[in-house]
PDB file of all heavy atoms in Angstrom:
ATOM      1  N   THR H 182      -4.785  20.891  -7.350  1.00 96.00           N
ATOM      2  CA  THR H 182      -3.354  20.717  -7.051  1.00 96.00           C
ATOM      3  C   THR H 182      -2.691  19.417  -7.345  1.00 96.00           C
ATOM      4  O   THR H 182      -1.692  19.270  -7.566  1.00 96.00           O
ATOM      5  CB  THR H 182      -3.232  21.028  -5.450  1.00 96.00           C
ATOM      6  OG1 THR H 182      -3.663  22.358  -5.194  1.00 96.00           O
ATOM      7  CG2 THR H 182      -1.843  20.858  -5.017  1.00 96.00           C
ATOM      8  N   PHE H 183      -3.609  18.330  -7.106  1.00 98.00           N
ATOM      9  CA  PHE H 183      -3.128  16.912  -7.096  1.00 98.00           C
ATOM     10  C   PHE H 183      -3.426  16.178  -8.428  1.00 98.00           C
ATOM     11  O   PHE H 183      -4.562  16.288  -8.879  1.00 98.00           O
ATOM     12  CB  PHE H 183      -3.508  16.224  -5.924  1.00 98.00           C
ATOM     13  CG  PHE H 183      -3.186  16.880  -4.558  1.00 98.00           C
ATOM     14  CD1 PHE H 183      -3.980  17.774  -3.911  1.00 98.00           C
ATOM     15  CD2 PHE H 183      -1.866  16.595  -4.102  1.00 98.00           C
ATOM     16  CE1 PHE H 183      -3.563  18.304  -2.816  1.00 98.00           C
ATOM     17  CE2 PHE H 183      -1.348  17.202  -2.968  1.00 98.00           C
ATOM     18  CZ  PHE H 183      -2.290  18.119  -2.251  1.00 98.00           C
ATOM     19  N   ASP H 184      -2.558  15.281  -8.860  1.00 98.00           N
ATOM     20  CA  ASP H 184      -2.856  14.295  -9.879  1.00 98.00           C
ATOM     21  C   ASP H 184      -3.766  13.325  -9.418  1.00 98.00           C
ATOM     22  O   ASP H 184      -4.459  12.638 -10.193  1.00 98.00           O
ATOM     23  CB  ASP H 184      -1.520  13.600 -10.322  1.00 98.00           C
ATOM     24  CG  ASP H 184      -0.549  14.699 -10.990  1.00 98.00           C
ATOM     25  OD1 ASP H 184      -0.986  15.514 -11.850  1.00 98.00           O
ATOM     26  OD2 ASP H 184       0.514  14.752 -10.445  1.00 98.00           O
ATOM     27  N   ALA H 185      -3.720  12.932  -8.100  1.00 98.00           N
ATOM     28  CA  ALA H 185      -4.604  11.931  -7.522  1.00 98.00           C
ATOM     29  C   ALA H 185      -4.776  12.161  -6.007  1.00 98.00           C
ATOM     30  O   ALA H 185      -3.957  12.906  -5.467  1.00 98.00           O
ATOM     31  CB  ALA H 185      -3.948  10.395  -7.789  1.00 98.00           C
ATOM     32  N   ALA H 186      -5.915  11.611  -5.489  1.00 98.00           N
ATOM     33  CA  ALA H 186      -6.172  11.658  -4.102  1.00 98.00           C
ATOM     34  C   ALA H 186      -6.630  10.337  -3.609  1.00 98.00           C
ATOM     35  O   ALA H 186      -7.400   9.765  -4.296  1.00 98.00           O
ATOM     36  CB  ALA H 186      -7.169  12.856  -3.770  1.00 98.00           C
ATOM     37  N   VAL H 187      -6.215   9.954  -2.421  1.00 97.00           N
ATOM     38  CA  VAL H 187      -6.654   8.683  -1.873  1.00 97.00           C
ATOM     39  C   VAL H 187      -7.134   8.841  -0.416  1.00 97.00           C
ATOM     40  O   VAL H 187      -6.615   9.843   0.195  1.00 97.00           O
ATOM     41  CB  VAL H 187      -5.541   7.511  -1.989  1.00 97.00           C
ATOM     42  CG1 VAL H 187      -5.097   7.337  -3.432  1.00 97.00           C
ATOM     43  CG2 VAL H 187      -4.319   7.933  -1.154  1.00 97.00           C
ATOM     44  N   SER H 188      -7.860   7.906   0.023  1.00 94.00           N
ATOM     45  CA  SER H 188      -8.158   7.957   1.406  1.00 94.00           C
ATOM     46  C   SER H 188      -8.518   6.510   1.776  1.00 94.00           C
ATOM     47  O   SER H 188      -9.327   5.818   1.178  1.00 94.00           O
ATOM     48  CB  SER H 188      -9.463   8.783   1.758  1.00 94.00           C
ATOM     49  OG  SER H 188      -9.814   8.876   3.081  1.00 94.00           O
ATOM     50  N   ARG H 189      -7.950   6.088   2.871  1.00 89.00           N
ATOM     51  CA  ARG H 189      -8.197   4.592   3.345  1.00 89.00           C
ATOM     52  C   ARG H 189      -8.909   4.657   4.679  1.00 89.00           C
ATOM     53  O   ARG H 189      -8.198   5.191   5.653  1.00 89.00           O
ATOM     54  CB  ARG H 189      -6.933   3.893   3.341  1.00 89.00           C
ATOM     55  CG  ARG H 189      -7.204   2.385   3.693  1.00 89.00           C
ATOM     56  CD  ARG H 189      -6.019   1.637   3.834  1.00 89.00           C
ATOM     57  NE  ARG H 189      -5.094   2.074   5.025  1.00 89.00           N
ATOM     58  CZ  ARG H 189      -3.853   1.732   5.154  1.00 89.00           C
ATOM     59  NH1 ARG H 189      -3.207   1.011   4.369  1.00 89.00           N
ATOM     60  NH2 ARG H 189      -3.126   2.173   6.219  1.00 89.00           N
ATOM     61  N   ASN H 190     -10.008   4.026   4.767  1.00 84.00           N
ATOM     62  CA  ASN H 190     -10.693   3.735   6.013  1.00 84.00           C
ATOM     63  C   ASN H 190     -11.061   5.094   6.760  1.00 84.00           C
ATOM     64  O   ASN H 190     -10.963   5.139   8.047  1.00 84.00           O
ATOM     65  CB  ASN H 190      -9.921   2.871   6.940  1.00 84.00           C
ATOM     66  CG  ASN H 190      -9.654   1.547   6.217  1.00 84.00           C
ATOM     67  OD1 ASN H 190     -10.429   1.121   5.316  1.00 84.00           O
ATOM     68  ND2 ASN H 190      -8.618   0.796   6.614  1.00 84.00           N
ATOM     69  N   VAL H 191     -11.372   6.124   6.078  1.00 83.00           N
ATOM     70  CA  VAL H 191     -11.679   7.433   6.706  1.00 83.00           C
ATOM     71  C   VAL H 191     -13.136   7.805   6.486  1.00 83.00           C
ATOM     72  O   VAL H 191     -13.860   8.238   7.320  1.00 83.00           O
ATOM     73  CB  VAL H 191     -10.727   8.432   6.187  1.00 83.00           C
ATOM     74  CG1 VAL H 191     -11.225   9.814   6.724  1.00 83.00           C
ATOM     75  CG2 VAL H 191      -9.301   8.179   6.559  1.00 83.00           C
ATOM     76  N   VAL H 192     -13.647   7.630   5.228  1.00 82.00           N
ATOM     77  CA  VAL H 192     -14.905   8.128   4.796  1.00 82.00           C
ATOM     78  C   VAL H 192     -16.004   7.612   5.673  1.00 82.00           C
ATOM     79  O   VAL H 192     -17.102   8.321   5.970  1.00 82.00           O
ATOM     80  CB  VAL H 192     -15.188   7.857   3.303  1.00 82.00           C
ATOM     81  CG1 VAL H 192     -15.448   6.427   2.942  1.00 82.00           C
ATOM     82  CG2 VAL H 192     -16.349   8.693   2.768  1.00 82.00           C
ATOM     83  N   VAL H 193     -15.884   6.450   6.248  1.00 76.00           N
ATOM     84  CA  VAL H 193     -17.072   5.847   7.065  1.00 76.00           C
ATOM     85  C   VAL H 193     -17.223   6.661   8.384  1.00 76.00           C
ATOM     86  O   VAL H 193     -18.283   6.536   8.913  1.00 76.00           O
ATOM     87  CB  VAL H 193     -16.595   4.395   7.279  1.00 76.00           C
ATOM     88  CG1 VAL H 193     -15.453   4.330   8.389  1.00 76.00           C
ATOM     89  CG2 VAL H 193     -17.841   3.640   7.888  1.00 76.00           C
ATOM     90  N   TYR H 194     -16.308   7.456   8.698  1.00 75.00           N
ATOM     91  CA  TYR H 194     -16.433   8.197  10.010  1.00 75.00           C
ATOM     92  C   TYR H 194     -17.108   9.584   9.917  1.00 75.00           C
ATOM     93  O   TYR H 194     -17.389  10.182  10.833  1.00 75.00           O
ATOM     94  CB  TYR H 194     -15.023   8.515  10.621  1.00 75.00           C
ATOM     95  CG  TYR H 194     -14.377   7.179  11.000  1.00 75.00           C
ATOM     96  CD1 TYR H 194     -13.233   6.763  10.234  1.00 75.00           C
ATOM     97  CD2 TYR H 194     -14.817   6.388  11.972  1.00 75.00           C
ATOM     98  CE1 TYR H 194     -12.545   5.503  10.647  1.00 75.00           C
ATOM     99  CE2 TYR H 194     -14.122   5.164  12.397  1.00 75.00           C
ATOM    100  CZ  TYR H 194     -13.109   4.756  11.658  1.00 75.00           C
ATOM    101  OH  TYR H 194     -12.421   3.586  11.948  1.00 75.00           O
ATOM    102  N   PHE H 195     -17.580   9.925   8.704  1.00 75.00           N
ATOM    103  CA  PHE H 195     -18.274  11.242   8.454  1.00 75.00           C
ATOM    104  C   PHE H 195     -19.664  11.141   8.168  1.00 75.00           C
ATOM    105  O   PHE H 195     -20.021  10.133   7.366  1.00 75.00           O
ATOM    106  CB  PHE H 195     -17.464  12.004   7.360  1.00 75.00           C
ATOM    107  CG  PHE H 195     -16.142  12.171   7.681  1.00 75.00           C
ATOM    108  CD1 PHE H 195     -15.067  11.609   6.808  1.00 75.00           C
ATOM    109  CD2 PHE H 195     -15.644  12.967   8.659  1.00 75.00           C
ATOM    110  CE1 PHE H 195     -13.746  11.747   7.083  1.00 75.00           C
ATOM    111  CE2 PHE H 195     -14.267  13.116   9.022  1.00 75.00           C
ATOM    112  CZ  PHE H 195     -13.326  12.510   8.257  1.00 75.00           C
ATOM    113  N   GLY H 196     -20.431  11.955   8.732  1.00 78.00           N
ATOM    114  CA  GLY H 196     -21.941  11.952   8.392  1.00 78.00           C
ATOM    115  C   GLY H 196     -22.246  12.393   6.953  1.00 78.00           C
ATOM    116  O   GLY H 196     -23.237  11.993   6.535  1.00 78.00           O
ATOM    117  N   ASP H 197     -21.268  13.050   6.240  1.00 84.00           N
ATOM    118  CA  ASP H 197     -21.496  13.506   4.983  1.00 84.00           C
ATOM    119  C   ASP H 197     -20.429  12.962   4.092  1.00 84.00           C
ATOM    120  O   ASP H 197     -19.422  13.640   3.694  1.00 84.00           O
ATOM    121  CB  ASP H 197     -21.526  14.988   4.870  1.00 84.00           C
ATOM    122  CG  ASP H 197     -21.907  15.590   3.524  1.00 84.00           C
ATOM    123  OD1 ASP H 197     -22.190  14.778   2.617  1.00 84.00           O
ATOM    124  OD2 ASP H 197     -21.590  16.808   3.290  1.00 84.00           O
ATOM    125  N   PRO H 198     -20.429  11.522   3.762  1.00 84.00           N
ATOM    126  CA  PRO H 198     -19.269  11.151   2.925  1.00 84.00           C
ATOM    127  C   PRO H 198     -19.260  11.586   1.563  1.00 84.00           C
ATOM    128  O   PRO H 198     -18.074  11.850   1.013  1.00 84.00           O
ATOM    129  CB  PRO H 198     -19.668   9.532   2.823  1.00 84.00           C
ATOM    130  CG  PRO H 198     -21.045   9.430   3.285  1.00 84.00           C
ATOM    131  CD  PRO H 198     -21.382  10.671   4.197  1.00 84.00           C
ATOM    132  N   VAL H 199     -20.337  12.073   0.987  1.00 88.00           N
ATOM    133  CA  VAL H 199     -20.392  12.742  -0.326  1.00 88.00           C
ATOM    134  C   VAL H 199     -19.635  14.072  -0.237  1.00 88.00           C
ATOM    135  O   VAL H 199     -18.888  14.354  -1.100  1.00 88.00           O
ATOM    136  CB  VAL H 199     -21.778  12.851  -0.851  1.00 88.00           C
ATOM    137  CG1 VAL H 199     -21.865  13.657  -2.195  1.00 88.00           C
ATOM    138  CG2 VAL H 199     -22.486  11.622  -1.164  1.00 88.00           C
ATOM    139  N   GLY H 200     -19.863  14.864   0.756  1.00 90.00           N
ATOM    140  CA  GLY H 200     -19.175  16.108   0.998  1.00 90.00           C
ATOM    141  C   GLY H 200     -17.700  15.938   1.158  1.00 90.00           C
ATOM    142  O   GLY H 200     -16.898  16.640   0.557  1.00 90.00           O
ATOM    143  N   PHE H 201     -17.302  14.739   1.807  1.00 89.00           N
ATOM    144  CA  PHE H 201     -15.814  14.513   2.082  1.00 89.00           C
ATOM    145  C   PHE H 201     -15.238  14.147   0.670  1.00 89.00           C
ATOM    146  O   PHE H 201     -14.159  14.689   0.305  1.00 89.00           O
ATOM    147  CB  PHE H 201     -15.691  13.286   2.900  1.00 89.00           C
ATOM    148  CG  PHE H 201     -14.318  12.613   2.957  1.00 89.00           C
ATOM    149  CD1 PHE H 201     -13.266  13.490   3.486  1.00 89.00           C
ATOM    150  CD2 PHE H 201     -14.086  11.483   2.529  1.00 89.00           C
ATOM    151  CE1 PHE H 201     -12.061  12.821   3.493  1.00 89.00           C
ATOM    152  CE2 PHE H 201     -12.854  10.883   2.462  1.00 89.00           C
ATOM    153  CZ  PHE H 201     -11.780  11.580   2.995  1.00 89.00           C
ATOM    154  N   LEU H 202     -15.900  13.377  -0.135  1.00 91.00           N
ATOM    155  CA  LEU H 202     -15.341  12.986  -1.425  1.00 91.00           C
ATOM    156  C   LEU H 202     -15.254  14.240  -2.264  1.00 91.00           C
ATOM    157  O   LEU H 202     -14.470  14.409  -3.206  1.00 91.00           O
ATOM    158  CB  LEU H 202     -16.084  11.747  -2.036  1.00 91.00           C
ATOM    159  CG  LEU H 202     -16.130  10.512  -1.222  1.00 91.00           C
ATOM    160  CD1 LEU H 202     -17.063   9.448  -1.922  1.00 91.00           C
ATOM    161  CD2 LEU H 202     -14.587   9.972  -1.306  1.00 91.00           C
ATOM    162  N   GLY H 203     -16.302  15.021  -2.188  1.00 93.00           N
ATOM    163  CA  GLY H 203     -16.264  16.357  -2.956  1.00 93.00           C
ATOM    164  C   GLY H 203     -15.037  17.179  -2.630  1.00 93.00           C
ATOM    165  O   GLY H 203     -14.424  17.867  -3.484  1.00 93.00           O
ATOM    166  N   GLN H 204     -14.645  17.178  -1.268  1.00 93.00           N
ATOM    167  CA  GLN H 204     -13.340  17.847  -0.992  1.00 93.00           C
ATOM    168  C   GLN H 204     -12.144  17.263  -1.700  1.00 93.00           C
ATOM    169  O   GLN H 204     -11.289  17.943  -2.219  1.00 93.00           O
ATOM    170  CB  GLN H 204     -13.092  17.791   0.554  1.00 93.00           C
ATOM    171  CG  GLN H 204     -14.023  18.686   1.354  1.00 93.00           C
ATOM    172  CD  GLN H 204     -13.634  20.084   1.244  1.00 93.00           C
ATOM    173  OE1 GLN H 204     -12.510  20.500   1.354  1.00 93.00           O
ATOM    174  NE2 GLN H 204     -14.682  20.911   0.810  1.00 93.00           N
ATOM    175  N   LEU H 205     -12.158  15.949  -1.698  1.00 95.00           N
ATOM    176  CA  LEU H 205     -11.011  15.201  -2.590  1.00 95.00           C
ATOM    177  C   LEU H 205     -11.020  15.740  -4.027  1.00 95.00           C
ATOM    178  O   LEU H 205     -10.002  15.983  -4.616  1.00 95.00           O
ATOM    179  CB  LEU H 205     -11.044  13.871  -2.337  1.00 95.00           C
ATOM    180  CG  LEU H 205     -10.882  13.199  -0.923  1.00 95.00           C
ATOM    181  CD1 LEU H 205     -11.009  11.647  -0.985  1.00 95.00           C
ATOM    182  CD2 LEU H 205      -9.662  13.795  -0.360  1.00 95.00           C
ATOM    183  N   LEU H 206     -12.170  15.675  -4.615  1.00 96.00           N
ATOM    184  CA  LEU H 206     -12.400  16.011  -5.991  1.00 96.00           C
ATOM    185  C   LEU H 206     -11.938  17.519  -6.254  1.00 96.00           C
ATOM    186  O   LEU H 206     -11.342  17.805  -7.290  1.00 96.00           O
ATOM    187  CB  LEU H 206     -13.740  15.780  -6.521  1.00 96.00           C
ATOM    188  CG  LEU H 206     -14.166  14.342  -6.703  1.00 96.00           C
ATOM    189  CD1 LEU H 206     -15.757  14.216  -6.805  1.00 96.00           C
ATOM    190  CD2 LEU H 206     -13.486  13.783  -7.895  1.00 96.00           C
ATOM    191  N   ARG H 207     -12.270  18.346  -5.286  1.00 96.00           N
ATOM    192  CA  ARG H 207     -11.911  19.740  -5.472  1.00 96.00           C
ATOM    193  C   ARG H 207     -10.421  20.090  -5.602  1.00 96.00           C
ATOM    194  O   ARG H 207     -10.020  20.855  -6.403  1.00 96.00           O
ATOM    195  CB  ARG H 207     -12.588  20.604  -4.272  1.00 96.00           C
ATOM    196  CG  ARG H 207     -12.330  22.010  -4.348  1.00 96.00           C
ATOM    197  CD  ARG H 207     -12.807  22.782  -3.116  1.00 96.00           C
ATOM    198  NE  ARG H 207     -12.058  22.381  -1.974  1.00 96.00           N
ATOM    199  CZ  ARG H 207     -10.873  22.883  -1.626  1.00 96.00           C
ATOM    200  NH1 ARG H 207     -10.233  23.649  -2.477  1.00 96.00           N
ATOM    201  NH2 ARG H 207     -10.183  22.518  -0.537  1.00 96.00           N
ATOM    202  N   VAL H 208      -9.699  19.382  -4.917  1.00 97.00           N
ATOM    203  CA  VAL H 208      -8.235  19.605  -4.916  1.00 97.00           C
ATOM    204  C   VAL H 208      -7.522  18.679  -5.874  1.00 97.00           C
ATOM    205  O   VAL H 208      -6.236  18.766  -6.124  1.00 97.00           O
ATOM    206  CB  VAL H 208      -7.615  19.297  -3.475  1.00 97.00           C
ATOM    207  CG1 VAL H 208      -8.160  20.385  -2.554  1.00 97.00           C
ATOM    208  CG2 VAL H 208      -7.683  17.867  -3.010  1.00 97.00           C
TER     209      VAL H 208
END
Side-chain angles (χ1 to χ4, degrees):
T182 299
F183 299 95
D184 298 306
V187 300
S188 181
R189 184 182 68 194
N190 302 337
V191 174
V192 69
V193 70
Y194 297 111
F195 303 115
D197 182 13
V199 173
F201 168 67
L202 294 172
Q204 287 287 310
L205 298 182
L206 287 168
R207 184 184 62 76
V208 299

